[in-house]
Amino acid sequence: MKQLVGIDKIGVYVPERYIEMKDLAIARDIDPDKFRLGLGQDQMAFPTIEQDIVAMGANAAFQIIDDEDRQLIDQVIFATESSFDFSKAAATYIHELLDIQPFAKSYEMKQACYSGTAGLQAACDYVRLRPERKVLVITSDIARYGLNTPAEATQGAGAIALLVSANPRILAIHEESVAYTTNDYDFWRPSYSDVALVDGKYSAWLYQDVFKTVMDEFESRYSDRFNALKALALHLPFTRMGEKALKYYQENSGKEVVNEWLDHYSSSTQLSRRVGNIYTGSLYLGLASLLQYDETLAPKDDIGLFSYGSGAVAEILTGTLQSDYKKMIDAIGIDQRMDQRRPYTVAEYEAAFNQTLSQEDGIHKIENENTTQEGFVLDKIDEHRRYHRHHSS
Ligand code: HMG
């Protein structure tokens, strides 16, 4: 029998701060139903200036790794599109903050929201060859389009950590998958811009068209795997997007099985509705949500993961739920984490959005402690070097 490899543990970290979408709608003179029903978003997380991608990623991973993992992790893969350094990988900070054994390799991956999946697949391939070792994959992002822009309501922030091992307790990932690349301009962020550029309507169309393309190819190559799929988790830039893609696929392919996927869909969106787009981690927030809130799934069920990153690269991969998956998901304490957050006003969100770290003189002291949430935070920038610390609430 083939060695099972896949996701053994999932860590979820979202900032404690959020705004209610109805407050944002009122502030922007928009009908609140556009955000609630049209986009499928209820709340939107935003970070403080101390919650950079390293701090969020470290917090997601800190929840799940123990001392044995620290010794067995051979790679720390950090997937992000919110990088603050063109050379030094965010993974190197994580490696130190989490005290991973020194003979590990640590690196960063980029391809919009897709790169977490590239990391997960690289991790699975590595562990298939070395089943006694583990790989830590971290996705961490801050989605920024700008205040008062059409895409503002699809921002968010957060991080997901995936520990990949042999004999995983959550999801054994199958080797068969279909990836797809098309060189396109639906969403991108040139290095001189701190907000994303986006052709919004086109991006939504491309997402659903690419979804159909990869699903058709997956079905033609691996029909047994396709027909076994009980539910899907999808990349969720806003929660209506996955539903639109499923319905577009259903209309254009006539596949009956999509009805079953649609039945499970709302469970996969519960967390994203309250957090927003976390880019690289959005698919995995959807996975955590599906496994937490779907009472009809069971061990041995096959589920699919649809990963999409603008630019654009997509992949459909599948896996089998393991006997302990519910126990491992319950261990995250998702409801408790979500309930510890609190709402802020639109004015407070705008002030946080506009707060920037000094770019030029290489020194930035955090004057006031903004973050009350326990965990890693950015402490200061000194001589262009970032330092983090652990904050106890
Ligand atoms: P918009 O122009 O603000 O909104 O842009 P709209 O006019 O398209 O309306 C949105 C929906 O609300 C529509 O529903 C309206 O009918 C409905 P649909 O027709 O699509 O079913 N609506 C209402 N519903 C109820 N009551 C009302 C009401 N009014 C309108 N009163 C857009 C929306 C998503 C384009 C914009 O927010 C945007 O550009 N967002 C960013 C881009 C994005 O998220 N694209 C998704 C695909 S690309 C992707 O997933 C990759 C990404 O994650 C990046 C990466 O890979 O790194 C973004």
Side-chain angles (χ1 to χ4, degrees):
M1 207 177 91
K2 268 199 177 166
Q3 174 73 62
L4 297 183
V5 167
I7 302 171
D8 186 52
K9 299 184 201 170
I10 300 181
V12 175
Y13 181 82
V14 289
E16 67 190 334
R17 297 182 177 206
Y18 67 88
I19 49 170
E20 295 287 355
M21 295 305 283
K22 66 172 169 8
D23 293 344
L24 183 64
I26 291 164
R28 302 291 181 251
D29 204 15
I30 290 173
D31 179 352
D33 277 352
K34 177 173 177 184
F35 294 165
R36 189 173 65 87
L37 302 172
L39 296 178
Q41 293 302 129
D42 297 328
Q43 297 168 349
M44 188 171 87
F46 66 96
T48 65
I49 199 131
E50 296 122 307
Q51 290 170 316
D52 67 1
I53 51 165
V54 166
M56 292 197 297
N59 288 322
F62 189 66
Q63 300 159 21
I64 59 168
I65 62 162
D66 57 26
D67 285 344
E68 194 191 342
D69 298 330
R70 288 184 168 84
Q71 295 311 314
L72 294 176
I73 289 171
D74 272 354
Q75 298 192 45
V76 181
I77 303 177
F78 197 105
T80 189
E81 51 181 304
S82 316
S83 233
F84 52 78
D85 194 306
F86 290 131
S87 299
K88 184 172 162 56
T92 58
Y93 299 81
I94 302 280
H95 178 273
E96 182 187 53
L97 290 171
L98 298 185
D99 200 17
I100 308 294
Q101 61 91 9
F103 301 104
K105 49 186 155 186
S106 304
Y107 54 97
E108 199 167 297
M109 283 192 164
K110 176 181 72 180
Q111 180 14 64
C113 298
Y114 167 73
S115 63
T117 301
L120 172 63
Q121 291 287 55
C124 289
D125 287 344
Y126 184 88
V127 174
R128 283 188 189 108
L129 292 173
R130 301 165 193 80
E132 72 290 357
R133 308 300 296 177
K134 300 187 182 189
V135 176
L136 179 61
V137 181
I138 292 171
T139 64
S140 182
D141 271 302
I142 301 166
R144 285 170 68 88
Y145 293 95
L147 302 177
N148 251 310
T149 59
E152 180 182 26
T154 60
Q155 298 176 145
I160 306 285
L162 306 170
L163 186 67
V164 172
S165 75
N167 303 317
R169 283 169 289 179
I170 298 178
L171 187 70
I173 305 279
H174 306 145
E175 285 181 34
E176 302 85 357
S177 79
V178 167
Y180 177 77
T181 297
T182 169
N183 179 16
D184 232 305
Y185 273 107
D186 56 331
F187 162 109
W188 66 109
R189 181 166 74 83
S191 50
Y192 46 79
S193 176
D194 77 337
V195 291
L197 308 182
V198 62
D199 189 343
K201 299 258 172 17
Y202 176 64
S203 74
W205 176 83
L206 188 64
Y207 176 116
Q208 60 187 26
D209 197 59
V210 166
F211 178 69
K212 179 178 180 311
T213 303
V214 295
M215 293 311 283
D216 283 348
E217 186 66 19
F218 188 77
E219 197 225 347
S220 79
R221 288 195 205 177
Y222 311 113
S223 63
D224 289 352
R225 287 269 186 241
F226 179 92
N227 289 319
L229 289 176
K230 281 257 179 316
L232 292 191
L234 296 96
H235 168 58
L236 296 174
F238 53 94
T239 69
R240 280 284 322 287
M241 185 67 245
E243 181 194 334
K244 282 158 79 84
L246 288 168
K247 290 189 170 157
Y248 176 87
Y249 180 56
Q250 188 175 44
E251 275 161 29
N252 289 284
S253 71
K255 296 276 176 224
E256 281 289 311
V257 66
V258 181
N259 286 325
E260 191 176 355
W261 301 345
L262 280 165
D263 287 345
H264 294 277
Y265 181 69
S266 84
S267 313
S268 76
T269 62
Q270 297 309 304
L271 294 174
S272 295
R273 287 192 77 93
R274 300 173 65 188
V275 175
N277 192 356
I278 61 168
Y279 288 162
T280 48
S282 287
L283 165 60
Y284 301 98
L285 190 64
L287 173 66
S289 184
L290 178 70
L291 302 188
Q292 173 74 40
Y293 299 115
D294 196 310
E295 298 297 338
T296 61
L297 289 172
K300 299 202 174 101
D301 281 346
D302 279 2
I303 61 168
L305 305 178
F306 174 69
S307 184
Y308 178 85
S310 288
V313 178
E315 185 165 356
I316 176 75
L317 49 153
T318 64
T320 303
L321 290 173
Q322 300 300 292
S323 52
D324 275 345
Y325 89 87
K326 207 62 183 160
K327 193 176 93 191
M328 299 303 287
I329 292 297
D330 285 347
I332 306 174
I334 288 179
D335 284 331
Q336 194 194 349
R337 284 176 192 281
M338 296 300 282
D339 292 346
Q340 279 164 355
R341 307 176 317 145
R342 65 184 187 88
Y344 281 70
T345 64
V346 172
E348 286 168 315
Y349 143 74
E350 289 175 343
F353 189 96
N354 286 327
Q355 204 181 356
T356 51
L357 291 162
S358 51
Q359 304 281 340
E360 277 150 33
D361 60 2
I363 300 172
H364 189 102
K365 291 200 177 67
I366 311 277
E367 300 293 350
N368 306 308
E369 286 203 351
N370 299 293
T371 309
T372 51
Q373 201 168 0
E374 181 163 339
F376 293 101
V377 288
L378 175 65
D379 190 26
K380 62 179 177 184
I381 298 179
D382 196 6
E383 294 185 352
H384 301 282
R385 292 157 161 85
R386 280 188 189 225
Y387 297 90
H388 296 81
R389 66 185 164 79
H390 197 271
H391 168 83
S392 308
S393 56

